[in-house]
């Protein structure tokens, strides 16, 4: 018996009614009843097959275009990049040139290489370029050129050293090519900055025709197919970096405010619409969005029209699927890619990987004839995160780019020279891990805050408090590793710094390189005077951005005080207890008890902080009065004092070096790092009870 699905019959029946042309043709042939019956049955079966085929075509459209997107963000080369950058090139090129069927042609000829920003950062790596290539950061750019990036969005760290450095790195010189690609951002107006206005060019040009330039958008043509690329930068840029005269839009931005997210989306949409209107033949658009928190990129994805892929940046979120082999100890923070629905109803993919050249992100996706991505064309065995450790290189059969090897070897010689200058010792691993210093107290956070306080007391003995931001700590001092064959986080081995025989460094010794790599920004120290009311406002701000999966750079590391907070309470009302303590842990002043300010709200506390924070960095509400900057910007190097003269007096690097030399040159530092449930300076009440007011 012939069984037909009722739903399918509903599709077929219109083809079989008496008014259908099919039956009209049959009647005109004057066939016998048996012949007619046979043809009707044939017609039903044919129609059934045809309708199923039509349904399949509608559900699985023939792809109009297959794209291989190789992406990253937050390259931020530190010392580990001496190895990871060449390895990154090996994995990238292996994926780009993959020829599985060995026909002499790449499997994915339509390959695009993009980054969503923070391509460099102040670090020993960046500064070594001054000696090797005649300008800081030039080695970073030469590596990006060799990797073959078509476009990069501006992140926040591009501006850390000011717009003059940005202009120097992007622009071509006699002996330096600058960027072989354009930098993009739709919500930054560079015409208002004296250094960068001259680099701005018209939007929507072919990327290979505008190297060394800045635009809102660009076009990249792959084998005759045009792809639009738009950049966007976090609107918090002015509070977390130094963008000079650049105008940042929207001017007011709170990521917890839906209206502010919508305003940002509108800024981006304007550029997307302009690009598509001017180029009606483009139906594929990629947004490079450097928003610091992937939750923001996910929200933006649902508000945009005409955008197919969002490459997130700034959050170092490692998206990966179950088929991806991660570096030892790493964990996936979500599926790769994150698929959602855009405002136009079309599917949109959000991708991201961990930074620091540790992974290559790979998205291979089909587009239909209308330029809409086909989600189920994404094969998890092909798309995902590709680790750039030695095993990752071997797995894909990659070979490092010789140009990049030469660059890193030249930088390494300069960097190694710094590793032989010793300032102290430690018996323990000093925790500068991004996810820790931005969410909890760490022993490296304590050490650097204590160092700042000790040096500040030399300038003003009345100084009792030290406050800095965890985002200013960029790396560990020590080795973070795992036993061979282990990938379990509980098996982690954290060791103090290892020996470097080439540089004459012994195990457990802390070198100039360790210090400059961990404190890459080398912020200047500033003395401020805070009233009790102002101190509470500062501490409330320091924990205001704590939220599930968030790693805010504003989270504090402190000395001279201890406090407790409840992250489940509304921002601005989280601090429960706060006390000033001496170096023996004895309470000398209770400022907050039971979430209430205690005593005279106008009594004052001399405080040392970072110049970056004192001037409003990370949104800190420090008063603008009673400030004393401890470092002069044009300090004469010949007049630097103490044992450490590689950095200016009163800077964080110099301060830590001098503090180590004074206290831990012979007797090693031994304060081990503890889990947040055991933290004492910063007590998270979601993880432990409040003992702030106990000596």
């Amino acid at each position: 018996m012939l069984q037909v699905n009722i739903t399918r019959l509903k599709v077929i029946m219109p083809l079989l009614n008496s008014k259908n042309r099919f039956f009209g043709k049959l009647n005109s042939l004057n066939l016998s009843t048996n012949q007619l019956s046979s043809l009707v049955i044939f017609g039903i079966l044919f129609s059934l097959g045809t309708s199923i085929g039509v349904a399949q075509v509608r559900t699985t459209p023939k792809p109009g275009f297959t794209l291989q997107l190789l992406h990253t963000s937050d390259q931020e080369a530190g010392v580990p990049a001496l190895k990871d950058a060449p390895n990154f090139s090996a994995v990238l090129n292996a994926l780009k040139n993959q020829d599985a069927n060995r026909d002499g042609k790449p499997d994915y000829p339509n390959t695009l290489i993009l980054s969503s920003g923070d391509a460099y950062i102040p670090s020993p790596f960046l500064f070594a370029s001054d000696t090797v290539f005649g300008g800081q950061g030039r080695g970073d750019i030469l590596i990006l050129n060799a990797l073959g990036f078509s476009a990069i969005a501006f992140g926040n760290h591009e501006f850390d050293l000011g717009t003059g450095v940005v202009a120097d790195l992007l622009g071509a010189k006699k002996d330096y090519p600058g960027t072989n690609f354009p930098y993009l951002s739709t919500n930054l107006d560079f015409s208002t900055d004296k250094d960068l206005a001259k680099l701005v060019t018209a939007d929507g040009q072919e990327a290979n025709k505008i190297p060394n330039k800045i635009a809102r958008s660009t076009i990249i043509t792959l084998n005759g197919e045009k792809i639009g690329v738009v950049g966007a930068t976090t609107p918090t840029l002015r509070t977390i970096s130094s963008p000079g005269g650049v105008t940042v839009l929207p001017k007011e931005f709170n990521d917890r405010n839906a209206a502010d997210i919508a305003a940002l989306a509108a800024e981006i949409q304007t550029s997307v619409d302009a690009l598509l209107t001017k180029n009606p033949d483009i139906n594929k658009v990629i947004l490079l969005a450097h928003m610091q928190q992937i939750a923001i990129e996910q929200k933006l994805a649902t508000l945009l029209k005409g955008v197919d892929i969002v490459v997130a940046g700034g959050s170092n979120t490692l998206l990966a699927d179950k088929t991806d082999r991660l570096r030892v100890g790493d964990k996936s923070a979500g599926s790769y890619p994150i698929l959602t629905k855009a405002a136009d109803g079309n599917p949109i993919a959000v991708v991201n990987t961990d930074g620091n050249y540790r992974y290559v992100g790979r998205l291979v996706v089909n587009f239909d004839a209308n330029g809409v991505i086909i989600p189920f064309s994404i094969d998890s065995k092909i798309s995902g995160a590709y680790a750039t450790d030695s095993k990752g290189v071997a797995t894909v059969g990659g070979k490092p780019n010789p140009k990049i090897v030469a660059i890193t070897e030249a930088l390494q010689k300069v960097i190694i020279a710094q590793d032989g200058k010793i300032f102290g010792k430690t018996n323990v691993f000093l925790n500068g891990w991004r996810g820790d210093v931005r969410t909890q107290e760490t022993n490296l956070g304590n050490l650097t805050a204590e160092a700042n306080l000790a040096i500040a007391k030399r300038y003003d003995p009345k100084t009792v408090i030290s406050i800095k931001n965890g985002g200013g700590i960029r790396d560990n001092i020590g080795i973070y590793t795992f036993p061979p064959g282990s990938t379990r986080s509980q098996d982690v081995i954290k060791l103090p710094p290892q020996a470097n025989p080439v540089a004459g460094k012994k195990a457990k010794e802390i070198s100039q390189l360790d210090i400059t790599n961990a404190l890459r920004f080398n912020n200047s120290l500033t003395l401020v005077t805070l009233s009790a009311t102002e101190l509470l406002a500062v501490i409330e701000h320091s924990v205001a951005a704590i939220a599930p999966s968030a790693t805010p750079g504003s989270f504090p590391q402190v000395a001279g005080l201890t406090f407790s907070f409840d992250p489940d309470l509304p921002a601005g009302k989280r601090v429960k207890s706060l006390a000033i303590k001496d170096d023996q842990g004895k309470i000398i002043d209770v400022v907050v008890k039971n979430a209430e300010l205690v005593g005279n709200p106008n009594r004052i506390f001399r405080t040392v902080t970072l110049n970056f924070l004192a001037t409003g960095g990370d949104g800190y509400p420090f008063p603008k009065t009673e400030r004393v900057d401890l470092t002069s910007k044009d300090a004469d190097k010949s007049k630097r004092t103490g044992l450490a003269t590689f950095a200016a007096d009163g800077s964080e690097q110099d301060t830590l070096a001098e503090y180590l030399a004074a206290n831990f040159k012979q007797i090693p530092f031994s304060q081990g790092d503890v889990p947040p449930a055991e933290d004492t300076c910063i007590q998270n009440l979601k993880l432990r009870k409040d003992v702030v007011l106990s000596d």
Side-chain angles (χ1 to χ4, degrees):
M1 179 181 292
L2 179 64
Q3 294 181 341
V4 181
N5 184 285
I6 296 298
T7 302
R8 289 172 179 167
L9 277 178
K10 290 179 179 178
V11 177
I12 298 167
M13 287 308 293
L15 300 174
L16 303 180
N17 63 44
S18 60
K19 296 181 181 179
N20 190 277
R21 292 181 181 178
F22 174 73
F23 282 96
K25 289 290 184 182
L26 291 182
N27 291 334
S28 68
L29 295 176
N30 296 316
L31 299 174
S32 68
T33 302
N34 287 338
Q35 289 174 320
L36 184 61
S37 297
S38 297
L39 283 174
V40 168
I41 292 172
F42 174 79
I44 292 174
L45 294 174
F46 178 81
S47 298
L48 177 61
T50 302
S51 79
I52 292 172
V54 170
Q56 287 176 336
V57 169
R58 288 173 180 169
T59 307
T60 317
K62 182 180 179 181
F65 186 78
T66 300
L67 173 69
Q68 175 175 232
L69 172 62
L70 301 177
H71 64 89
T72 189
S73 66
D74 307 278
Q75 293 95 305
E76 299 178 9
V79 173
L82 293 171
K83 180 178 181 180
D84 286 336
N87 281 359
F88 185 96
S89 73
V91 174
L92 182 80
N93 289 330
L95 298 179
K96 178 183 177 181
N97 300 314
Q98 178 184 301
D99 181 14
N101 60 7
R102 299 183 180 180
D103 64 354
K105 300 178 181 179
D107 293 343
Y108 305 105
N110 302 314
T111 294
L112 194 54
I113 303 173
L114 299 172
S115 168
S116 53
D118 277 5
Y120 57 85
I121 193 173
S123 70
F125 194 100
L126 180 137
F127 294 125
S129 284
D130 208 3
T131 300
V132 179
F133 299 110
Q136 53 192 13
R138 292 184 177 183
D140 294 79
I141 299 301
L142 293 174
I143 288 173
L144 299 175
N145 288 344
L147 288 170
F149 283 98
S150 293
I152 296 181
F154 276 106
N156 50 290
H157 288 310
E158 269 85 358
F159 299 94
D160 285 340
L161 297 173
T163 56
V165 172
V166 178
D168 179 74
L169 289 175
L170 270 62
K173 312 290 188 301
K174 182 178 180 181
D175 56 347
Y176 168 69
T179 57
N180 288 346
F181 50 85
Y183 254 100
L184 307 176
S185 185
T186 184
N187 63 310
L188 300 183
D189 181 358
F190 297 92
S191 67
T192 54
D193 182 81
K194 61 181 178 62
D195 295 312
L196 298 177
K198 59 188 176 183
L199 298 181
V200 176
T201 190
D203 303 327
Q205 299 181 73
E206 285 281 350
N208 59 9
K209 295 181 180 179
I210 52 171
N212 315 113
K213 296 296 184 180
I214 297 171
R216 295 182 178 87
S217 63
T218 190
I219 297 172
I220 301 168
T221 302
L222 300 175
N223 296 312
E225 192 80 16
K226 291 183 178 181
I227 298 174
V229 182
V230 177
T233 307
T234 171
T236 63
L237 181 64
R238 193 156 297 285
T239 64
I240 62 176
S241 194
S242 303
V246 175
T247 300
V248 183
L249 301 171
K251 293 184 177 180
E252 299 295 330
F253 184 80
N254 183 331
D255 64 89
R256 295 183 292 274
N257 188 322
D260 289 355
I261 299 288
L264 174 59
E267 291 285 345
I268 297 170
Q269 192 67 58
T270 298
S271 286
V272 173
D273 292 346
L275 182 66
L276 295 177
T277 299
K278 188 176 180 180
N279 301 275
D281 53 336
I282 292 179
N283 60 11
K284 303 170 189 66
V285 175
I286 298 172
L287 171 65
L288 304 178
H290 194 95
M291 295 297 139
Q292 293 293 96
Q293 300 295 339
I294 197 168
I296 299 176
E297 280 107 350
Q298 288 179 262
K299 292 175 183 177
L300 287 174
T302 66
L303 298 174
L304 296 171
K305 298 178 181 180
V307 176
D308 303 286
I309 301 169
V310 178
V311 182
S315 64
N316 291 69
T317 303
L318 175 55
L319 299 181
D321 47 55
K322 294 180 180 179
T323 62
D324 296 336
R325 186 198 68 80
L326 304 184
R327 295 170 75 122
V328 173
D330 285 354
K331 291 182 178 180
S332 171
S335 61
Y336 183 105
I338 297 172
L339 289 166
T340 187
K341 185 180 290 187
D344 54 16
N346 291 327
I348 185 170
V350 179
V351 296
N352 198 19
T353 62
D354 195 6
N356 306 105
Y357 289 107
R358 291 168 51 83
Y359 289 90
V360 175
R362 185 194 203 189
L363 179 67
V364 177
V365 59
N366 294 341
F367 292 79
D368 68 18
N370 296 317
V372 178
I373 66 171
I374 304 173
F376 57 80
S377 69
I378 302 171
D379 186 344
S380 64
K381 295 180 181 179
I382 297 172
S383 296
Y386 285 75
T388 60
D389 53 5
S390 298
K391 189 172 182 180
V393 173
T395 299
V396 298
K399 294 182 179 180
N401 184 320
K403 291 183 180 180
I404 295 176
V405 172
I407 293 168
T408 54
E409 286 180 347
L411 295 174
Q412 185 174 22
K413 292 178 182 179
V414 175
I415 292 172
I416 282 179
Q418 301 174 18
D419 210 21
K421 299 177 181 178
I422 308 302
F423 291 94
K425 299 177 182 178
T426 177
N427 284 330
V428 296
F429 172 86
L430 298 175
N431 185 5
W433 202 253
R434 175 189 173 98
D436 290 344
V437 294
R438 292 167 176 248
T439 58
Q440 66 188 63
E441 171 188 346
T442 77
N443 62 347
L444 181 55
N446 287 340
L447 175 62
T448 55
E450 289 284 358
N452 293 352
L453 180 57
I455 296 299
K457 286 183 175 179
R458 296 183 185 178
Y459 290 87
D460 186 345
K462 295 180 180 179
T463 308
V464 292
I465 298 171
S466 172
I467 301 171
K468 58 179 289 181
N469 62 324
I473 299 175
R474 306 305 300 186
D475 215 334
N476 309 305
I477 296 181
I479 300 299
Y480 187 94
T481 187
F482 287 78
S486 172
T487 58
R488 302 186 309 164
S489 59
Q490 57 265 42
D491 293 339
V492 63
I493 300 174
K494 299 178 181 179
L495 301 171
Q498 301 298 285
N500 183 349
V502 176
K505 178 185 179 182
K506 298 178 181 178
K508 300 184 179 182
E509 290 184 332
I510 302 174
S511 69
Q512 174 184 327
L513 180 59
D514 292 322
I515 294 168
T516 57
N517 188 53
L519 301 176
R520 296 175 193 173
F521 297 146
N522 196 27
N523 287 293
S524 300
L525 302 184
T526 295
L527 290 175
V528 297
T529 298
L530 299 177
S531 68
T533 300
E534 291 167 338
L535 173 60
L536 177 56
V538 165
I539 298 301
E540 283 284 9
H541 175 80
S542 73
V543 294
I546 285 293
S549 76
T551 54
S554 55
F555 187 85
Q557 299 294 327
V558 301
L561 64 79
T562 180
F563 70 94
S564 65
F565 73 101
D566 186 344
D568 290 334
L569 294 177
K573 297 182 179 180
R574 292 180 168 180
V575 175
K576 182 180 179 182
S577 304
L578 193 160
I580 312 300
K581 295 189 175 184
D582 62 20
D583 55 6
Q584 301 300 314
K586 181 179 179 181
I587 295 175
I588 57 178
D589 197 316
V590 174
V591 181
V592 177
K593 182 177 181 180
N594 295 326
E596 297 290 340
L597 195 64
V598 176
N600 182 356
N602 296 317
R603 68 190 188 281
I604 58 174
F605 304 96
R606 197 62 164 158
T607 303
V608 62
T609 188
L610 309 182
N611 179 274
F612 169 66
L613 302 184
T615 54
D618 273 346
Y620 268 85
F622 281 104
K624 301 186 184 303
T625 57
E626 297 290 332
R627 277 183 47 191
V628 177
D629 294 331
L630 304 188
T631 303
S632 173
K633 291 183 179 180
D634 56 352
D636 185 345
K637 293 183 180 181
S638 65
K639 296 181 180 180
R640 292 177 180 175
T641 62
L643 296 175
T645 57
F646 64 89
D649 290 357
S651 66
E652 271 211 290
Q653 291 177 3
D654 179 74
T655 293
L656 180 57
E658 298 290 3
Y659 185 72
L660 289 170
N663 296 279
F664 303 107
K665 188 78 170 180
Q666 303 300 326
I667 301 175
F669 179 83
S670 297
Q671 179 192 329
D673 198 51
V674 297
E678 299 176 29
D679 286 343
T680 55
C681 290
I682 304 174
Q683 300 176 17
N684 185 334
L685 299 182
K686 194 171 184 178
L687 304 173
R688 59 157 303 148
K689 66 178 183 179
D690 188 343
V691 294
V692 167
L693 302 184
S694 301
D695 283 340

